[in-house]
Amino acid sequence: MQIAENETALVAELSILPDPLVRLEWLTSQGGKAPPLEPAERTPEARVSGCVSEVFLQASFEKGRCRFRGESNSPLIQGLLQLFFRIYDDTPPQAILAKRSNILEQLDLARHITPTRLRGLGAVLDRMEGFARSHL
């Protein structure tokens, strides 16, 4: 399963940083390197409700696979979005719906993220799963 493989690779990569807070700092720094959305892509329909920060998600379906891009005005959330995209981007809808990632727990990050932000990240995953469901 591609999602489990993507998670395993990310855990191995980020376990080099033994402190979860250092992992969060690194993810925050990496989020700023992601290409931004075009202004026209930041539409009310693309905005993920339930997030404290502004989060915009763009999804497309190409050759039987779901593609995801997005951005947030929060550097932390931007970094975490990129983590989710590395797990879910370019995967078939069935794989997305078969397993919800628990990467934040695997990397011991969830306990360092506020409950409000965790709910917002859950809303992002819900939106990604909804997109996958619509392309079964």
Side-chain angles (χ1 to χ4, degrees):
M1 172 179 276
Q2 183 175 343
I3 291 185
E5 292 166 0
N6 291 347
E7 285 178 332
T8 300
L10 279 167
V11 168
E13 179 182 329
L14 292 173
S15 291
I16 294 168
L17 305 170
D19 185 331
L21 293 175
V22 173
R23 287 184 201 136
L24 279 175
E25 288 175 21
W26 185 83
L27 286 167
T28 300
S29 72
Q30 295 304 298
K33 296 178 182 178
L37 294 177
E38 296 295 323
E41 294 178 299
R42 291 184 211 107
T43 64
E45 297 80 29
R47 185 159 186 203
V48 178
S49 60
C51 296
V52 173
S53 305
E54 277 193 336
V55 175
F56 295 95
L57 180 66
Q58 288 292 331
S60 60
F61 192 68
E62 302 168 14
K63 298 178 183 174
R65 301 173 89 74
C66 297
R67 303 301 315 258
F68 299 103
R69 302 178 305 112
E71 71 178 37
S72 174
N73 63 345
S74 162
L76 170 63
I77 299 303
Q78 179 68 18
L80 293 170
L81 285 176
Q82 299 313 308
L83 187 69
F84 287 162
F85 297 156
R86 286 189 56 192
I87 293 168
Y88 288 110
D89 183 48
D90 198 25
T91 58
Q94 299 87 342
I96 292 169
L97 296 172
K99 180 183 185 315
R100 181 172 269 219
S101 175
N102 66 348
I103 191 71
L104 299 178
E105 289 80 10
Q106 290 182 61
L107 293 171
D108 196 26
L109 301 177
R111 67 186 178 106
H112 299 287
I113 300 170
T114 65
T116 304
R117 288 199 187 272
L118 286 173
R119 278 192 298 280
L121 291 167
V124 170
L125 292 175
D126 290 345
R127 175 81 68 95
M128 294 168 82
E129 290 170 351
F131 180 81
R133 192 171 293 104
S134 72
H135 288 86
L136 284 176

